[in-house]
Amino acid sequence: MDVLIHSATFRFPNPHLHRPSRTSLRQCVFSVRSSFNLPFQEQKPKYHEHLQAAVDVVERACRLCVDVQKSLFSSDGKIIEKMDKTPVTVADFGVQALVSLEMSKLFPSIPLIAEEDSAFVREKNLVDAVVEVVSDKATIGDKELSRDDVLKAIDRGGKNASLFGPQPATYWILDPIDGTRGFVKGSEALYVVGLALIVEGEIVLGVMGCPNWQDGHSDEVNKVQGDAGSVSRSGAIMVSHVGCGTWRTKLWDLQIGNTKMDPNWTRCLVDGFHLVHQARYCTAESQTWESLPLSTQFNAVTNANSVGEKQILLVPGCCGSLCKYLMVASGRASVFILRAATETRVWDHAVGVICIREAGGQVTDWKGRQLDFAADQRERRVLFPSGGILVTNDRLHDQIVEIISSSS
């Protein structure tokens, strides 16, 4: 196996071992051209180029998802039943290929940790479909994107592509589509494209794109493309950089006619609730409230107007974990509580962690300990939280950890 020796070893097509210089982390091989100006341009944060590139590729990945999502709809707007889940598969693998291609071109020394490998698309004969959607969004110049280019790009983020050791490492973490069940529901449900950068063991930046996000006011909703299968919400892109806060802007209204509009960034802060019973909660769709430790003290209701004594409000958040992080970081929910699965995957949480921290919240396991993204020393693909994961505003965190402890 040919490898690149760095803080991670990575398969490379050439037969020579290569040791990249440490300065390559801060130097972008090509200039980044993005539709978005970052909200902290004057600060010029340390990883400005990396964040600008991440915002650009996540925005294009969201457009890829929307384009593929249209194939789920008939001309009258009804969802077409597709038992083989082809559209979500093409979008999922297409996003991974796109992000891998773009980031390897810009930052070739930084490995990628992502959800998929190419075995499934090869088996299901979907390679050409993935190539088609990626070619439309990739910045490949005059070169025609080949099947081999796309398959290698997917596998660059797949299992066993990057092998690490105990030392702190630098790498991207990608969730191509978090909330695939939301993806197939169309514009009524949330799903997220999430990308984070870990540098020497620390999450330093993150970008989440949510094509179906709707702001609180009806006049902020903008229809995209105008046909029955299109997203009819403004969408959102959330960015975070260590020390610079978390910010959000609309995804879809960047251009009016031929005039490009500067994005109107909003600083994101967690909500200010400090009493456990008054806070707003969200949970995983696969887990009932009764399976969670807070249920020993509170029942859950979903109607904000009928929250009684010993009850809490459960806020619907649809599918996937990252949209719950987005909700807490935006102040729409106070708490996201999740019981640990058999395998807790890093891409379901990495970008959410920095967005919450920079918005003033906390993310820990159920014992109040920070998540260790290096616990899986070999591949950096799995987390081992004790009990589960707790995402809160800062005021509620210790209270809820105490409740969890007392219920065990």
Side-chain angles (χ1 to χ4, degrees), residues 140-159:
I140 54 177
D142 296 331
K143 178 187 175 185
E144 184 176 346
L145 201 62
S146 70
R147 290 164 58 98
D148 194 47
D149 292 333
V150 168
L151 292 171
K152 284 182 178 178
I154 293 170
D155 285 335
R156 179 175 177 266
K159 189 173 177 62

Side-chain angles (χ1 to χ4, degrees), residues 6-65:
H6 188 40
S7 54
T9 55
F10 181 74
R11 289 179 183 151
F12 240 62
N14 67 69
H16 304 289
L17 295 178
H18 172 60
R19 186 183 299 274
S21 65
R22 298 182 67 85
T23 57
S24 62
L25 173 66
R26 297 193 184 95
Q27 292 175 349
C28 187
V29 177
F30 300 94
S31 61
V32 178
R33 296 179 181 178
S34 176
S35 301
F36 293 85
N37 291 321
L38 296 178
F40 27 76
Q41 289 286 336
E42 293 181 3
Q43 293 176 253
K44 274 287 183 183
K46 186 173 183 180
Y47 305 104
H48 175 272
E49 288 183 332
H50 300 76
L51 182 58
Q52 191 73 73
V55 170
D56 174 60
V57 75
V58 168
E59 186 260 343
R60 281 187 281 140
C62 287
R63 293 188 180 276
L64 183 155
C65 289

Side-chain angles (χ1 to χ4, degrees), residues 112-187:
L112 174 69
I113 306 299
E115 186 170 6
E116 314 291 357
D117 61 43
S118 67
F120 186 82
V121 289
R122 293 174 191 264
E123 178 187 343
K124 299 298 181 181
N125 197 28
L126 294 172
V127 179
D128 290 336
V130 175
V131 171
E132 182 179 353
V133 299
V134 175
S135 297
D136 187 48
K137 298 294 184 291
T139 55
I140 54 177
D142 296 331
K143 178 187 175 185
E144 184 176 346
L145 201 62
S146 70
R147 290 164 58 98
D148 194 47
D149 292 333
V150 168
L151 292 171
K152 284 182 178 178
I154 293 170
D155 285 335
R156 179 175 177 266
K159 189 173 177 62
N160 295 321
S162 299
L163 302 178
F164 298 80
Q167 297 303 314
T170 296
Y171 49 95
W172 296 100
I173 297 180
L174 169 70
D175 195 338
I177 297 180
D178 186 71
T180 52
R181 283 176 294 173
F183 180 90
V184 299
K185 289 181 180 180
S187 62

Side-chain angles (χ1 to χ4, degrees), residues 223-259:
K223 189 135 186 170
V224 179
Q225 303 297 331
D227 58 71
S230 298
V231 174
S232 59
R233 302 186 177 201
S234 62
I237 195 156
M238 177 176 282
V239 305
S240 185
H241 185 291
V242 62
C244 297
T246 296
W247 301 76
R248 192 185 77 238
T249 191
K250 295 177 185 177
L251 189 58
W252 301 125
D253 64 345
L254 296 180
Q255 189 162 324
I256 299 177
N258 294 321
T259 304

